[in-house]
Amino acid sequence: AEIGGDAFDFLTRDGQTFFYLGDATGHGVPSGLIMMVANTLLSTFVDISKNTKDILVQTNKYLKPRIQKTMFMTLVMFRWVHATQELFYTGAGHETLIHYHAATGKCDNIPSGGIALAMLADNEKLLTEKLLKLEQGDFLVTYSDGIVEGRNPEGELYGIERLVALVEQEAPQAANAEELFDRISKTVLGFLGEFIQLDDMSLMVMQKIQA
């Protein structure tokens, strides 16, 4: 139970930062091994690929034949272009992206799209790199399904509706991404209480600020 299958990393090259959050099937040693292989492949292809779609297509090509047929990994990968301050992403069957708009105080809950890595031998036609337009002060929250599928002692799911509402409630009070992360974490863990969870939980919070 101490070994998990969630993965994340930040990799910078040539004026761009690539970062991702992924979730391998299940929990424990098997999912941990998938996470390790995927991390190695992703960091390798960042060095030789032009965008997030190409990275995930190549990673899928080499991951698929190396793991069990019943195993897969959902993931969303981002590409931040330093010079233009633009954020691009490609989804591989992962959870939604919660985009908090500072100007309106409301969230968009955006499907990440795509198909999980290792589901098909060739995923190129099912993946697309998209632009996510962030304005000054906007937050972007990504997470693994262990958070929204977490249960309290009464067996009640936390759920995506609660998470989106929580972001809208806490973002206006948060001075930065770290503070919003702390506020979300404290509230979610308070809901779950001492109930032992069956899946890994990961959370990533970003904010666009003046360069």
Side-chain angles (χ1 to χ4, degrees):
E2 295 299 320
I3 299 176
D6 284 4
F8 68 92
D9 206 352
F10 293 80
L11 306 160
T12 299
R13 70 164 180 85
D14 299 334
Q16 301 185 107
T17 295
F18 295 83
F19 56 99
Y20 61 87
L21 179 62
D23 179 8
T25 312
H27 182 69
V29 174
S31 58
L33 291 173
I34 294 175
M35 178 266 289
M36 292 174 62
V37 173
N39 279 344
T40 301
L41 291 171
L42 289 163
S43 61
T44 298
F45 289 117
V46 160
D47 287 339
I48 59 177
S49 302
K50 295 180 179 180
N51 55 55
T52 54
K53 175 183 176 178
D54 291 346
I55 293 168
L56 297 190
V57 168
Q58 292 302 313
T59 296
N60 181 79
K61 178 180 177 181
Y62 289 92
L63 181 65
K64 173 65 174 174
R66 286 168 172 78
I67 65 175
Q68 297 178 17
K69 293 181 179 180
T70 57
M71 305 293 281
F72 58 89
M73 185 174 194
T74 69
L75 187 139
V76 59
M77 188 166 206
F78 299 91
R79 178 169 65 93
W80 174 254
V81 183
H82 296 200
T84 62
Q85 300 282 285
E86 290 179 310
L87 183 67
F88 298 87
Y89 73 95
T90 298
H94 197 66
E95 305 302 309
T96 60
L97 312 178
I98 302 175
H99 177 192
Y100 173 80
H101 296 269
T104 64
K106 297 296 182 181
C107 288
D108 290 331
N109 191 33
I110 308 167
S112 63
I115 187 172
L117 301 177
M119 290 287 285
L120 298 174
D122 184 359
N123 62 353
E124 183 172 9
K125 294 182 179 179
L126 298 175
L127 302 186
T128 304
E129 185 179 69
K130 300 177 182 178
L131 172 66
L132 182 60
K133 191 169 183 179
L134 296 177
E135 302 294 344
Q136 178 69 14
D138 286 5
F139 286 101
L140 181 63
V141 177
T142 62
Y143 57 95
S144 62
D145 63 3
I147 291 181
V148 294
E149 295 178 4
R151 295 180 181 272
N152 65 14
E154 289 71 42
E156 186 180 8
L157 286 173
Y158 190 76
I160 184 60
E161 293 84 5
R162 277 194 180 91
L163 185 58
V164 172
L166 178 61
V167 174
E168 289 187 350
Q169 173 186 316
E170 298 295 342
Q173 317 303 323
N176 51 45
E178 183 177 3
E179 184 175 333
L180 181 57
F181 177 95
D182 290 341
R183 286 170 175 264
I184 294 172
S185 300
K186 181 178 180 180
T187 302
V188 172
L189 293 176
F191 175 88
L192 301 178
E194 299 298 321
F195 189 70
I196 297 175
Q197 301 302 309
L198 300 178
D199 200 1
D200 309 309
M201 294 185 289
S202 295
L203 175 70
M204 185 182 292
V205 180
M206 295 148 277
Q207 185 183 29
K208 185 176 182 181
I209 57 177
Q210 190 65 39

Short mmCIF file of all heavy atoms in Angstrom, two decimals, residues 60 64 69-73 115-121:
data_model
loop_
_atom_site.label_atom_id
_atom_site.label_comp_id
_atom_site.label_asym_id
_atom_site.label_seq_id
_atom_site.Cartn_x
_atom_site.Cartn_y
_atom_site.Cartn_z
N ASN A 60 3.33 5.93 -25.71
CA ASN A 60 2.36 4.84 -25.86
C ASN A 60 2.92 3.70 -26.70
O ASN A 60 2.74 2.52 -26.36
CB ASN A 60 1.09 5.38 -26.52
CG ASN A 60 0.02 4.32 -26.67
OD1 ASN A 60 -0.68 3.99 -25.73
ND2 ASN A 60 -0.11 3.77 -27.88
N LYS A 64 3.01 0.20 -24.41
CA LYS A 64 2.00 -0.82 -24.67
C LYS A 64 2.56 -2.24 -24.66
O LYS A 64 2.01 -3.12 -23.98
CB LYS A 64 1.29 -0.51 -26.00
CG LYS A 64 0.33 -1.58 -26.50
CD LYS A 64 -0.85 -1.75 -25.57
CE LYS A 64 -1.87 -2.71 -26.18
NZ LYS A 64 -2.98 -3.01 -25.23
N LYS A 69 -1.83 -6.67 -20.63
CA LYS A 69 -2.90 -6.17 -21.50
C LYS A 69 -4.00 -5.47 -20.72
O LYS A 69 -4.71 -4.63 -21.28
CB LYS A 69 -3.49 -7.33 -22.31
CG LYS A 69 -2.52 -7.91 -23.33
CD LYS A 69 -3.17 -9.03 -24.13
CE LYS A 69 -2.21 -9.60 -25.16
NZ LYS A 69 -2.83 -10.71 -25.94
N THR A 70 -4.18 -5.84 -19.46
CA THR A 70 -5.25 -5.24 -18.66
C THR A 70 -4.83 -3.95 -17.97
O THR A 70 -5.63 -3.31 -17.30
CB THR A 70 -5.73 -6.23 -17.58
OG1 THR A 70 -4.60 -6.61 -16.78
CG2 THR A 70 -6.34 -7.47 -18.22
N MET A 71 -3.58 -3.54 -18.15
CA MET A 71 -3.06 -2.35 -17.48
C MET A 71 -3.00 -1.17 -18.43
O MET A 71 -2.79 -1.34 -19.63
CB MET A 71 -1.66 -2.63 -16.90
CG MET A 71 -1.58 -3.83 -15.98
SD MET A 71 -2.48 -3.60 -14.44
CE MET A 71 -1.32 -2.59 -13.52
N PHE A 72 -3.17 0.02 -17.90
CA PHE A 72 -3.06 1.24 -18.71
C PHE A 72 -2.75 2.42 -17.79
O PHE A 72 -2.70 2.27 -16.56
CB PHE A 72 -4.34 1.49 -19.52
CG PHE A 72 -5.59 1.61 -18.68
CD1 PHE A 72 -5.98 2.84 -18.16
CD2 PHE A 72 -6.38 0.50 -18.42
CE1 PHE A 72 -7.13 2.97 -17.40
CE2 PHE A 72 -7.52 0.62 -17.64
CZ PHE A 72 -7.90 1.85 -17.14
N MET A 73 -2.58 3.58 -18.38
CA MET A 73 -2.27 4.77 -17.59
C MET A 73 -2.95 5.99 -18.20
O MET A 73 -2.76 6.29 -19.38
CB MET A 73 -0.75 5.01 -17.55
CG MET A 73 -0.33 6.16 -16.65
SD MET A 73 1.49 6.26 -16.53
CE MET A 73 1.66 7.37 -15.14
N ILE A 115 -7.28 9.12 -25.14
CA ILE A 115 -7.46 7.77 -24.65
C ILE A 115 -6.25 7.39 -23.82
O ILE A 115 -5.13 7.83 -24.09
CB ILE A 115 -7.65 6.78 -25.83
CG1 ILE A 115 -8.01 5.38 -25.32
CG2 ILE A 115 -6.42 6.74 -26.72
CD1 ILE A 115 -8.41 4.41 -26.43
N ALA A 116 -6.46 6.59 -22.78
CA ALA A 116 -5.39 6.23 -21.87
C ALA A 116 -4.23 5.55 -22.60
O ALA A 116 -4.43 4.83 -23.58
CB ALA A 116 -5.92 5.31 -20.78
N LEU A 117 -3.03 5.77 -22.11
CA LEU A 117 -1.84 5.14 -22.66
C LEU A 117 -1.91 3.63 -22.45
O LEU A 117 -2.34 3.16 -21.39
CB LEU A 117 -0.58 5.69 -22.00
CG LEU A 117 -0.35 7.20 -22.12
CD1 LEU A 117 0.91 7.60 -21.36
CD2 LEU A 117 -0.25 7.63 -23.58
N ALA A 118 -1.50 2.89 -23.47
CA ALA A 118 -1.45 1.42 -23.47
C ALA A 118 -2.81 0.77 -23.70
O ALA A 118 -2.93 -0.45 -23.61
CB ALA A 118 -0.81 0.86 -22.20
N MET A 119 -3.83 1.56 -24.02
CA MET A 119 -5.12 0.97 -24.38
C MET A 119 -5.08 0.44 -25.81
O MET A 119 -5.68 -0.59 -26.12
CB MET A 119 -6.23 2.01 -24.24
CG MET A 119 -6.55 2.39 -22.81
SD MET A 119 -7.44 1.11 -21.90
CE MET A 119 -9.07 1.29 -22.62
N LEU A 120 -4.39 1.18 -26.70
CA LEU A 120 -4.25 0.79 -28.09
C LEU A 120 -2.77 0.82 -28.48
O LEU A 120 -1.98 1.55 -27.87
CB LEU A 120 -5.02 1.76 -29.00
CG LEU A 120 -6.54 1.84 -28.81
CD1 LEU A 120 -7.09 2.96 -29.69
CD2 LEU A 120 -7.20 0.52 -29.15
N ALA A 121 -2.43 0.07 -29.51
CA ALA A 121 -1.04 0.07 -29.99
C ALA A 121 -0.68 1.41 -30.62
O ALA A 121 0.46 1.87 -30.53
CB ALA A 121 -0.83 -1.07 -30.98
#
